[in-house]
């Protein structure tokens, strides 16, 4: 008795995570426009999959890319939406909070709103120190960004203090 095999085309449905991983791969090449497209698809798929963490990760990457691509209004929208999503659904994830807060500071800085940037950098420092400690590169990044505020304000002593804190952590890692 012979069995006949019916070959059916395979339909592969990409998940939001697959699209996110493709976006990360495009970042490494780097092709920011292709990465942006992948993260946009990941965002839409993560919403349909009700995957809040991946939705937040996609919003964070889209916000960062928007800053790089000088799409400051988009950056503010992605980062604000992501920050609100984290506050609502991932409230205990201080690492996400720290990342969104720091990037919002960067977005304000890119929009030449240095005072609001400083507010977000100070928040990012507090959250980063709580989430990572004071000897972590994420915290050093927050210190470094905050030092730029003092450079802009022409306060070299404060700029030196914060940039030196960042440098000391970087030299240990």
């Amino acid at each position: 008795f012979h069995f006949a095999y019916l070959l059916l085309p395979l339909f592969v449905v990409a998940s939001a995570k697959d699209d996110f991983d493709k976006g990360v791969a495009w970042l490494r090449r780097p092709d920011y426009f292709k990465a942006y497209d992948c993260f946009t698809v990941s965002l839409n798929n993560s919403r349909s999959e009700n995957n809040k963490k991946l939705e937040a990760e996609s919003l964070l990457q889209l916000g960062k890319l928007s800053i790089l691509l000088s799409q400051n209004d988009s950056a503010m929208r992605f980062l604000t939406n992501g920050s609100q999503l984290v506050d609502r659904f991932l409230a205990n994830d201080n690492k996400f909070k720290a990342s969104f807060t720091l990037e919002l500071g960067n977005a304000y800085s890119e929009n030449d709103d240095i005072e609001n940037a400083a507010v977000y950098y100070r928040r990012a420092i507090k959250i980063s120190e709580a989430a990572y400690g004071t000897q972590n590169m994420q915290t050093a990044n927050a210190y470094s960004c905050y030092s730029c505020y003092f450079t802009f304000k022409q306060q070299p002593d404060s700029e030196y203090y914060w940039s030196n804190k960042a440098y000391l952590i970087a030299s240990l890692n």
Side-chain angles (χ1 to χ4, degrees):
F1 188 76
H2 296 288
F3 291 96
Y5 291 94
L6 179 60
L7 296 176
L8 297 174
L10 295 175
F11 294 98
V12 178
V13 177
S15 70
K17 179 70 172 133
D18 294 333
D19 295 311
F20 186 87
D21 291 342
K22 287 178 190 172
V24 170
W26 283 115
L27 282 177
R28 290 186 181 131
R29 289 195 176 116
D31 187 327
Y32 298 141
F33 293 103
K34 287 183 180 175
Y36 190 96
D37 291 341
C38 290
F39 290 126
T40 300
V41 172
S42 174
L43 174 63
N44 293 330
N45 287 343
S46 64
R47 286 177 173 160
S48 66
E49 294 171 12
N50 199 30
N51 185 337
K52 299 299 183 194
K53 186 169 184 175
L54 193 55
E55 182 179 349
E57 288 176 349
S58 299
L59 286 165
L60 181 61
Q61 293 304 321
L62 285 166
K64 289 169 137 181
L65 280 169
S66 294
I67 292 170
L68 284 171
L69 299 171
S70 298
Q71 299 172 352
N72 296 334
D73 291 339
S74 294
M76 292 298 293
R77 187 180 74 251
F78 288 131
L79 295 169
T80 300
N81 289 344
S83 182
Q84 291 169 350
L85 178 82
V86 168
D87 286 344
R88 187 166 178 208
F89 295 103
L90 305 165
N92 294 327
D93 195 330
N94 282 337
K95 291 179 180 182
F96 257 141
K97 284 182 184 181
S99 294
F100 275 104
T101 305
L102 183 66
E103 292 303 328
L104 275 163
N106 290 338
Y108 277 111
S109 180
E110 286 296 315
N111 281 333
D112 295 323
D113 186 348
I114 197 70
E115 295 303 325
N116 272 323
V119 168
Y120 279 90
Y121 291 149
R122 282 191 299 270
R123 287 181 191 167
I125 287 170
K126 287 180 184 177
I127 298 168
S128 293
E129 287 176 341
Y132 297 101
T134 58
Q135 300 300 312
N136 183 281
M137 287 303 294
Q138 180 72 19
T139 305
N141 193 18
Y143 293 158
S144 179
C145 289
Y146 193 44
S147 76
C148 293
Y149 166 75
F150 294 105
T151 302
F152 180 80
K153 297 298 266 184
Q154 298 181 353
Q155 297 176 2
D157 291 342
S158 295
E159 184 275 332
Y160 175 78
Y161 173 80
W162 290 102
S163 62
N164 193 51
K165 282 183 80 154
Y167 174 77
L168 290 173
I169 294 169
S171 67
L172 295 174
N173 288 297

